[in-house]
Amino acid sequence: QECCVMLSLGNNPVISAIQSILKEQYPAVAWSDPATFHVTLVYASRVTDLGIVRDVLPKSINPVTFEVGPVRCFEEKADGIPVYLAVTAPDTLAAMQFSLAATFKTLGFELSEYSAPECWVPHVTLGYVKQGYPVPIYDDRAQVTADKMECSIEVGERYETVYITRSKESQAAQLRELS
């Protein structure tokens, strides 16, 4: 069974705006659905028990702000050239990824080679360029904030998803600080 832990950026207005600008200029790209924007933290196969995964996930997360951009691409795959927004990972995001990778490895889950902290390339996939067409160019950078973590695990023919957000206690504490 497969398991993916990610920071959700679904329908993020900043990333959606960047993608919209590029869509007009590069029609030969199979664009990702903005509802699926995310930064993968770890991807593992041979995960046998969602209960164990739930137990090791954080119970809540604080919002994480980071920079996205410029547009880059990975090596060509069967469905085209993956085009992504680079993510400049602040220490909190890098620590989150490192901790999850170490925990999953300790539990004996088989991590993707890209989930090893030394190989992790934080990014938001924007789409796939069709073979023979130009790769989009976008050099600007922007700030985005993620406040939800998702963990999806394959259960038979479907996926079960656990959502981790900010705890009610930390939200209340922040409101008290602001008042």
Side-chain angles (χ1 to χ4, degrees):
Q1 296 173 318
E2 299 174 343
C3 177
C4 183
V5 180
M6 62 196 99
L7 282 181
S8 176
L9 291 162
N11 296 313
N12 179 281
V14 172
I15 299 171
S16 295
I18 293 169
Q19 188 188 55
S20 292
I21 291 167
L22 294 172
K23 275 182 177 180
E24 292 178 22
Q25 299 171 17
Y26 300 93
V29 176
W31 295 102
S32 299
D33 178 352
T36 66
F37 290 152
H38 66 275
V39 176
T40 300
L41 299 172
V42 291
Y43 178 85
S45 59
R46 299 189 185 154
V47 176
T48 55
D49 187 347
L50 181 58
I52 292 172
V53 174
R54 275 193 184 127
D55 289 345
V56 299
L57 291 173
K59 302 306 175 223
S60 66
I61 65 164
N62 286 321
V64 181
T65 300
F66 49 89
E67 186 178 85
V68 294
V71 166
R72 297 281 183 250
C73 60
F74 290 120
E75 290 182 23
E76 187 169 354
K77 300 195 184 267
D79 46 0
I81 300 168
V83 175
Y84 65 89
L85 274 175
V87 168
T88 302
D91 291 345
T92 53
L93 182 56
M96 187 184 301
Q97 192 278 336
F98 181 88
S99 175
L100 285 166
T103 301
F104 274 43
K105 193 171 182 177
T106 299
L107 291 171
F109 300 155
E110 189 175 307
L111 289 177
S112 152
E113 65 182 286
Y114 306 112
S115 293
E118 64 276 7
C119 298
W120 182 56
V121 178
H123 66 280
V124 178
T125 302
L126 295 174
Y128 294 83
V129 176
K130 296 173 187 167
Q131 189 173 18
Y133 287 89
V135 173
I137 297 171
Y138 185 86
D139 290 324
D140 289 343
R141 290 165 172 76
Q143 296 286 313
V144 297
T145 299
D147 62 1
K148 180 169 63 173
M149 183 185 287
E150 292 182 33
C151 175
S152 292
I153 186 168
E154 183 181 24
V155 179
E157 297 291 316
R158 61 184 178 77
Y159 281 85
E160 191 171 315
T161 303
V162 175
Y163 299 97
I164 298 107
T165 57
R166 190 167 194 182
S167 73
K168 300 290 184 213
E169 294 80 20
S170 66
Q171 289 175 2
Q174 184 180 27
L175 287 174
R176 282 192 301 274
E177 287 175 17
L178 294 174
S179 56

